[in-house]
Every structure is written in C-alpha cells, then in structure tokens.
Amino acid sequence: MSDERAAANARTRNRGIPDATVARLPIYLRALHTLADAGQRTVSSEELATVAGVNSAKLRKDLSHLGSYGTRGVGYDVAVLVDTISQALGLTQRWAVALVGVGNLGHALAGYAGFASRGFRIAALLDADPDRVGERLHGMVVRHIDELPAVVAEGSVSIGVIATPANAAQDVCDRLVAVGVTSILNFAPCVLSVPDNVDVRKVDLSIELQILSFHESRKAALTSLPSALSDDGEDEYDEAVGP
Amino acid sequence: MSDERAAANARTRNRGIPDATVARLPIYLRALHTLADAGQRTVSSEELATVAGVNSAKLRKDLSHLGSYGTRGVGYDVAVLVDTISQALGLTQRWAVALVGVGNLGHALAGYAGFASRGFRIAALLDADPDRVGERLHGMVVRHIDELPAVVAEGSVSIGVIATPANAAQDVCDRLVAVGVTSILNFAPCVLSVPDNVDVRKVDLSIELQILSFHESRKAALTSLPSALSDDGEDEYDEAVGP
DNA sequence: AGCCGCTTGTGAACGTTCGCACAAAGTCAA
DNA sequence: TTGACTTTGTGCGAACGTTCACAAGCGGCT
Ligand SMILES: NC(=O)c1ccc[n+]([C@@H]2O[C@H](COP(=O)([O-])OP(=O)(O)OC[C@H]3O[C@@H](n4cnc5c(N)ncnc54)[C@H](O)[C@@H]3O)[C@@H](O)[C@H]2O)c1
Ligand SMILES: NC(=O)c1ccc[n+]([C@@H]2O[C@H](COP(=O)([O-])OP(=O)(O)OC[C@H]3O[C@@H](n4cnc5c(N)ncnc54)[C@H](O)[C@@H]3O)[C@@H](O)[C@H]2O)c1
C-alpha cells in the first residue's frame, strides 16, 4: 500500500464519502431505477454516467467510495448497485417526516408522490393557523404546531420540512430542534440558525432564478459585444455591463 | 448516447465571477434587503456575513469579484451594495418566465409572491391537459402548451420553469429550447439534455431528502460508536435574518 | 498633524473536486 | 490455456473553492 499519506489525510477529517459524491448518489439511484424498470440487468459506468448526466470517471470514483461492486469487463449489476447506494444513503429505513406549514406550497408537498416512492413517510402535517388545523388532506389531518412534541414522539420523526413564511421559519426551526429533529429541509427564503448536530438543507426557488438571470444576462451581453469580457481582478475598477 | 458532456464541458470559459460566488450573491442580496428594511445604512463584512450565514473572508472575496465598493474602517454602503449585486446578477431588467405544468406544484408556483418581489414576471401558464387550459389563476389564464411559440414571442420569455411529470419534462424542455428559451428551471426529477448555450438548474426535493438521510443515518451510527468523535456536520449555521 | 482602532481587499496556504489516462482484472471464444 | 477485448478502479496533476492572516487605507480623536 502506498496509502500512508492517504491514511493520514483521511484520519484528519474522515467523513468517508465526499459531500460531492453524496449529492450525486441519489441521481445515480434514480437512473438505476429507470434502468431496472426497463429490465436491464447490468450497466457499464459509461452508460450509467450518460443517463445520469455525468462524466464516467467521476461516476466510477464516486462508486469506488462505496466499495468495489463492479465487474471488470462487464460493468455493475443494477440490483446490487441499487442496494449498495440505498444502504449508503441510509434508505434501508423509512424516515418519518413532519411537514410544517400547509399553505400553497405545503399542499403541493403533502400530495407529492415522490416522498413515498423514495423511503420517506409524511408522519404529520402541522400548521399554526386555527382555520387550517383539522383540515383533511391526502388521508391526513392537519394538526396544530403546538402538538409537535407529541407528533415527533409518536412517529419517531427525525426530519422536518419547513414550508412556512420566512418570518416564522426560525421559530419553527427552533421548535423542531427542541423536540429532537436533527435534519431540516427549509423552503423558506431565509438563513436558519441551528446547533452543530443539526443538518439544514434549503430549497430556494428565487435563488435558482437569480443564478439563471446571471447567466442569461451574460449571454445577452455576449451576443451584442463581440469582444471577450475579461476581468483581471487587478487594480482596474471596471463597472459591469449595462442592459 | 449522443450528448452527455454538453453542459459541463461548455462552462470552461472564464466568466469573471466564480460559480460558487454567483450562487451566494442572491443570499447576500436578500440579507441586504432585510438590513435596508430595518433602516441600516452601512454594514461590515463581519455583520453581513453573519446574517448571510457565511465566513466573512469568503464574503469579502466574493464581493471583491464585483469591484471595490467598501470603505476601509467603515464597511459597505447597503444601498450601493444592493445596486451592485443586482447589476451583477442581471436583475436590473425584469425577466419574463413561462411556467409549464400547472398541477399541484404549478399552482403553488403560480401564486408565489417571491417571483415578483425579485425581478421576475410570470408571462404565461401553460399545460397540456385540455381540462386545465382556460382555468383562471392569479389573474392569468392557463394556455395550451402548443401556444408556446406565440407566448414566448409576445412576452420576450427567456426563462422556462418545468413543473410537469418527469416523463414529459424532456419534451417540454425541447419545445422551450426550440422557441428560444435559454434558461430552464426544472422541478421534474430527471436529467434534461440541452444544447450548450442553454442553462439548466434543477430543484429536486427527493434528492435533498436523501442527502439528509445520509447524514441522519451517519449520526445514528455515531451515537452507538464510542470512538472518533470527529466533526461531521458541515452546514450553514449562524445567525438568522431579522424580523 | 499624528496616532489609533477598525475594516477592507488580497496573497498565500490549504482543502476539495474533477477528469485524464492507464494498469489491473475480469469475460469470452477458440 | 492463451490472447483479444472490455471495463473497472485509481494515481495524478490541474482547477476550483475556502480560510487565514495581514498590509493598506479610512475615519475619528486628541
Ligand atoms: N408557493 C411557492 O411556490 C413557493 C415556492 C418557493 C418557496 N416558497 C416559500 O415557502 C414558504 C411557504 O409558501 P406558501 O406559498 O405555501 O405560503 P402560505 O402563506 O400559503 O403558507 C404558509 C403556511 O404556513 C403557516 N404558518 C405560518 N406561521 C406558522 C408557524 N409559526 N407555524 C406553523 N405554521 C405556520 C400558515 O398558516 C400557512 O398555512 C414561504 O416561505 C415561501 O417563500 C413558496
Ligand atoms: N408536488 C410537489 O410537491 C412536488 C415536489 C417536488 C417535485 N415535484 C415534481 O414536479 C412535477 C410536477 O408535480 P405535480 O405534483 O404538480 O404533478 P401534477 O401531475 O399535479 O401536475 C403536472 C401537470 O403537468 C401537466 N402536463 C403533463 N404533461 C405535460 C406536457 N407535455 N406539457 C405541458 N403540461 C403537461 C399536467 O397536465 C399537469 O397539470 C413532477 O415532476 C414532480 O415530480 C412535485
């Protein structure tokens, strides 16, 4: 082994699987399910990479973090890979999710089939509005946010989804954390403050649109200006392009 | 097996502002709006970084890509920074957006105030279902997807949002590209294939949940293992935004 | 004016991610 | 068994991103 350095390096901050890889595993899993449904038994890294929209070397390196499950000259067994990735992502168990905020977005989320088709179960719908509490929705009854402790205890909830307005999100977040939720998915456009042991991920539509806007205006500038737009970050203070 | 490396390969060209920075500019912008609403005139990198949930050195480096707009010993003028970032993101113009797929999610998106409050305008709602076409929704009428060419031409639409089922997404995407849309936000859980000049961003709820699942199961494993309490969580935490 | 404390802007070190290129390891046919 | 062929798994350098640390610059105070 020439892994002295690698071992020392890994020991410094060993997380096992790189973040970038973890973020892609669900994409591979989805692609594999598609292939499995089409009856395909094995798949090469080249083919799977194409379906998943990534480079094949990257795919192989990603999978190598999970172990060595391929067969050289053949490829990967689709079923084995599905199991392996599911295992790595912790999808062998069914996670219970509490959805807080049953407004416009919350209604859509509550009925989203993609929750159940992956290993997630909506354990409860919660809202603060008395008019909403008691509403029947997709076989569930909306309960009051004050019932959160009971709901979490009953359902072994460890994941919370926040779909409230931004000004309520931190309060809801604090309540979730207080009752033991350690993973939060936040749809509200705000930064949440949580303890170190709690993971937060956010989905923000308007951030995505603004990123598209950046590229779009860059493209528009390129079509009208033939010269390359180059910024050397030196002492020149060149104002950005206008519309 | 035609075009797989399309997107990743094309973005090798130097763009001036790093991708990671562009992705954070909207967060800074939101934080700045909050501060401005609270009447604050200037802000230090330390304070703004705290509100935005990032490291202050990172914030300063990000802003330095836009030019030198701070005053040493004082900080940044909030209004100037809002203008500068808005300019950089191309938000000085109002982008027209076409929303395709007015189902559960589409209904929520159509009514989303966050569209308009940033510089985006929903120019049209489109669906393929004859029963949905003609429906009035938030002051707009749902039109048939076949009217897309007319809709795009009328409204100067350059951004498309796809909220159809996954099996229709590629077809809708192709139609959007065919009529000149060059930025697409995709909510369907699938990989879209587009020409090099088209940008695609995706929002995928179930990927986010699966990433949370990974960390959650990692945490569960740690509580039963006595050794090696290394830091696992790597998230954005720190302060929240104001009222 | 001169000093002092504060904050920006950035060089440099470090960490992470990417993708090429290729040896190793397998299949398959004869 | 051998050899042709296919595909994995990974070493490596480059590109990208993050963080530290501090000189340079600014405002205010004496
Ligand atoms: N609608 C969209 O398409 C969309 C898209 C992206 C992001 N978002 C964000 O998602 C969030 C919800 O959006 P929406 O359109 O559903 O808003 P909404 O106003 O329709 O729904 C919000 C719901 O949260 C409930 N609520 C308020 N305070 C609460 C509290 N303290 N505890 C529990 N519930 C509480 C309200 O009673 C309401 O039912 C917002 O932050 C919005 O910015 C919405
Ligand atoms: N509902 C959610 O909370 C949620 C969350 C995340 C992702 N998604 C994804 O968003 C997409 C939409 O979800 P939904 O729950 O709104 O589904 P939905 O079935 O309620 O709505 C889909 C809409 O798309 C329309 N449509 C179908 N084919 C079309 C075509 N070729 N052209 C134009 N319109 C077409 C349908 O008529 C329907 O109105 C799905 O891909 C889903 O996986 C939904």
Side-chain angles (χ1 to χ4, degrees):
Chain A
M1 290 299 181
S2 61
D3 288 342
E4 287 186 1
R5 171 171 314 193
N9 210 358
R11 186 187 46 190
T12 307
R13 178 177 282 254
N14 185 3
R15 203 198 267 99
I17 304 177
D19 283 344
T21 294
V22 171
R24 284 187 294 266
L25 289 178
I27 300 174
Y28 303 153
L29 196 52
R30 196 171 64 203
L32 286 164
H33 276 125
T34 304
L35 292 171
D37 289 349
Q40 194 163 340
R41 308 291 295 274
T42 65
V43 65
S44 70
S45 65
E46 196 65 51
E47 184 179 11
L48 182 54
T50 300
V51 175
V54 301
N55 178 296
S56 69
K58 183 151 65 178
L59 171 73
R60 289 197 297 277
K61 187 155 288 184
D62 282 342
L63 294 183
S64 76
H65 289 293
L66 310 184
S68 200
Y69 293 100
T71 305
R72 292 171 194 232
V74 175
Y76 301 88
D77 183 288
V78 172
V80 167
L81 214 44
V82 165
D83 285 352
T84 304
I85 295 177
S86 296
Q87 181 87 42
L89 288 173
L91 300 177
T92 48
Q93 63 187 286
R94 200 137 225 275
W95 298 100
V97 176
L99 172 59
V100 185
V102 194
N104 286 320
L105 182 60
H107 271 80
L109 295 176
Y112 182 43
F115 261 112
S117 73
R118 298 292 175 264
F120 300 92
R121 176 177 67 86
I122 298 192
L125 307 177
L126 300 157
D127 206 295
D129 186 344
D131 292 343
R132 289 212 193 273
V133 173
E135 183 184 339
R136 256 207 125 68
L137 194 59
H138 297 284
M140 277 174 296
V141 176
V142 177
R143 299 171 69 176
H144 194 272
I145 181 71
D146 289 344
E147 296 186 57
L148 185 63
V151 161
V152 167
E154 289 166 18
S156 301
V157 171
S158 52
I159 300 179
V161 174
I162 299 178
T164 67
N167 60 19
Q170 183 63 58
D171 175 57
V172 168
C173 174
D174 292 343
R175 287 169 179 246
L176 286 168
V177 169
V179 297
V181 168
T182 45
S183 289
I184 292 173
L185 181 55
N186 180 32
F187 284 87
C190 65
V191 176
L192 293 179
S193 150
V194 295
D196 286 3
N197 63 314
V198 176
D199 283 299
V200 175
R201 294 194 66 85
K202 67 173 189 301
V203 171
D204 194 319
L205 170 57
S206 93
I207 286 181
E208 299 302 325
L209 285 174
Q210 288 173 66
I211 294 171
L212 286 176
S213 167
F214 171 83
H215 292 292
E216 194 64 29
S217 58
R218 204 39 84 101
K219 273 180 273 187
L222 275 182
T223 56
S224 57
L225 293 179
S227 61
L229 176 65
S230 66
D231 295 355
D232 295 338
E234 297 299 318
D235 50 357
E236 64 177 17
Y237 29 155
D238 182 44
E239 179 60 36
V241 296
Chain B
M1 54 177 180
S2 45
D3 47 355
E4 59 271 1
R5 68 206 192 281
N9 229 0
R11 51 184 66 201
T12 47
R13 187 66 223 130
N14 186 357
R15 205 184 293 100
I17 304 178
D19 283 344
T21 294
V22 172
R24 282 187 294 265
L25 290 179
I27 300 174
Y28 304 152
L29 196 51
R30 196 169 66 202
L32 286 165
H33 276 125
T34 305
L35 292 172
D37 289 349
Q40 194 163 341
R41 308 291 294 273
T42 65
V43 66
S44 70
S45 66
E46 197 65 52
E47 185 180 10
L48 181 54
T50 300
V51 175
V54 302
N55 179 297
S56 70
K58 183 151 66 179
L59 171 74
R60 289 197 298 277
K61 186 150 285 187
D62 283 343
L63 294 183
S64 76
H65 289 292
L66 310 184
S68 200
Y69 295 99
T71 306
R72 293 170 194 237
V74 176
Y76 301 88
D77 183 287
V78 173
V80 167
L81 214 44
V82 165
D83 285 351
T84 305
I85 295 178
S86 296
Q87 180 88 39
L89 287 173
L91 300 177
T92 49
Q93 62 187 284
R94 201 136 223 275
W95 297 101
V97 176
L99 171 58
V100 185
V102 193
N104 286 321
L105 182 60
H107 270 80
L109 295 176
Y112 182 42
F115 261 112
S117 73
R118 298 291 175 263
F120 300 92
R121 175 177 67 86
I122 298 191
L125 306 177
L126 299 157
D127 205 295
D129 186 345
D131 292 343
R132 288 211 194 273
V133 174
E135 182 183 341
R136 257 206 122 69
L137 193 60
H138 297 283
M140 278 175 295
V141 177
V142 177
R143 299 171 70 176
H144 193 273
I145 181 72
D146 289 344
E147 296 185 57
L148 185 63
V151 161
V152 167
E154 288 166 20
S156 302
V157 171
S158 51
I159 298 178
V161 175
I162 298 178
T164 68
N167 60 21
Q170 183 64 58
D171 175 58
V172 168
C173 174
D174 292 343
R175 287 169 180 245
L176 286 168
V177 169
V179 297
V181 169
T182 46
S183 290
I184 292 174
L185 180 54
N186 179 32
F187 284 87
C190 63
V191 176
L192 293 179
S193 145
V194 295
D196 286 4
N197 63 314
V198 176
D199 283 298
V200 174
R201 294 194 66 86
K202 67 172 190 299
V203 171
D204 194 320
L205 169 58
S206 94
I207 286 181
E208 300 302 323
L209 285 174
Q210 289 173 64
I211 294 171
L212 286 176
S213 167
F214 171 82
H215 292 294
E216 195 64 28
S217 57
R218 199 45 77 99
K219 275 180 270 188
L222 271 183
T223 57
S224 57
L225 288 180
S227 66
L229 180 63
S230 64
D231 56 357
D232 181 327
E234 201 275 309
D235 286 303
E236 42 251 58
Y237 33 92
D238 281 341
E239 287 305 317
V241 295

